[in-house]
Amino acid sequence: MKIPFNKPFMTGRELAYIAQAHQHGQLAGDGQFTAKCHKWLEDNTGSKKALLTHSCTAALEMAAILGNIGEGDEVIMPSYTFVSTANAFVMRGATPVFVDIREDTLNIDESLIEEAITPRTRAIVAVHYAGVACEMDTIMTIAQKHGLLVIEDAAQAIMCTYKGQPLGSIGDIGAFSFHETKNVISGEGGALLINREDLIERAEIIREKGTNRNQFFRGQVDKYTWVDIGSSFLPSEMVAAFLWAQLEEASEIKQERMNLWMHYHDSLEILEQRGFFRRPITPQYCSHSAHMYYLLLESKQERTSFIRTLSEHGIHSVFHYVPLHDSPYGKHLNPETNALPVTTSYSERLVRLPLWIGLGEVQQCVINTIYKAFNHDSL
Ligand SMILES: *Cc1c(COP(=O)(O)O)cnc(C)c1O
């Protein structure tokens, strides 16, 4: 038996909606399905404006342009994240300034942000790891005090909240991912959330190759033309049609993943009590959407043998991230990053377990194998 780490979930209506998009006769972006997705995202986050993009990476690139990030600017972010968090700003000429993470949530340690601020700092990127929120109250207060932009990398955080507020809607700008490894998917895909009225018009222009095409279609200008920098950041209607089939069932998807997440959490409590590993910690004012289930083992060697034991039983588990400050390009950009002890230690000890809809009865095999790995009889 082979248990993969991830298996993309289909609701069953994706192909029918793609056929409908074909019948509508508009295959390029911003058709009826894109409009439905935009409305869903705005209704479910309270954001002033949602715009589909072809990836979360693209949404972050748009955020960097919208934030006027440029040569010589500094952007504060965790090192324990995916490369796109940094690349989007590096592509505008900025330097990423890496800050260590909290031991409980693995999110940027907000108590270390102020000492990383210099006269060149322009923005803070809050990455909500595993859909568990960063300390947004503190981050927003620091940003206001120093006049900084806050961008939420909410790639893993659709339908998650911080003190009741949907993630992605708290900072100036938010970004979601619909990559096939996330909860709600369209293969590749993403969305930009714009939470400030004054950024909306320019966001539409940047997304449409730097033209005022959207204003033209609304009848606000009588011809459309080149008005700013931009690129082609919008997905086709086929991608939006696929995504709509997923958004329609987003609550059910979240619930099914939560059941699996809770089953891991409850079943593995005893092994945590015996000191074999640490389970995820969720502050009580944060709600997540069961994007991932991870364990923090005692050492890198333990993780290596844990992954091997699972693999011998056909179970594929994975780890991430190589800390950005320790990667070849991160070192080249910012050779002076101080040691980030929590980031380094956690990146060597974290392991992610299979979590996908349909895991069902084989989830118990994963749990039993974990008990075996620590020479314990299962429950
Ligand atoms: C998945 C992910 C991204 C990138 O998303 P894409 O849609 O693949 O571009 C960026 N940041 C984080 C934290 C992610 O998990």
Side-chain angles (χ1 to χ4, degrees), residues 272-286:
E272 181 187 65
Q273 283 165 0
R274 308 233 162 116
F276 293 114
F277 48 69
R278 203 209 85 185
R279 295 174 305 156
I281 294 172
T282 313
Q284 47 91 26
Y285 48 84
C286 296

Side-chain angles (χ1 to χ4, degrees), residues 58 66 117 137 203 322 325 361:
L66 263 179
I117 294 175
D137 283 348
V322 176
H325 78 285
E361 64 265 33

Side-chain angles (χ1 to χ4, degrees), residues 166-191:
L167 299 189
S169 74
I170 303 170
D172 300 280
I173 302 170
F176 284 149
S177 173
F178 304 119
H179 185 263
E180 75 164 35
T181 52
K182 303 300 199 286
N183 285 18
V184 171
I185 62 174
S186 59
E188 304 280 351

Side-chain angles (χ1 to χ4, degrees), residues 242-278:
F242 190 110
L243 181 62
W244 177 243
Q246 296 261 322
L247 288 175
E248 273 190 331
E249 281 200 24
S251 298
E252 290 81 359
I253 291 173
K254 177 178 167 179
Q255 190 52 53
E256 292 217 28
R257 295 185 69 94
M258 194 58 78
N259 295 343
L260 296 163
W261 196 99
M262 287 307 303
H263 188 49
Y264 274 136
H265 207 57
D266 293 342
S267 306
L268 297 172
E269 186 178 3
I270 292 172
L271 293 180
E272 181 187 65
Q273 283 165 0
R274 308 233 162 116
F276 293 114
F277 48 69
R278 203 209 85 185

Side-chain angles (χ1 to χ4, degrees), residues 1 3 260 263 356 358-368:
M1 184 180 51
I3 302 178
L260 296 163
H263 188 49
W356 37 270
L359 186 61
E361 64 265 33
V362 297
Q363 186 183 18
Q364 197 55 49
C365 302
V366 180
I367 293 164
N368 294 346

Side-chain angles (χ1 to χ4, degrees), residues 55-57 81-82 84-85 127 153 155-156 177 179 182 189 321:
S55 62
C56 178
T57 301
T81 183
F82 189 63
S84 297
T85 313
V127 182
D153 181 341
Q156 306 172 9
S177 173
H179 185 263
K182 303 300 199 286
Y321 298 101

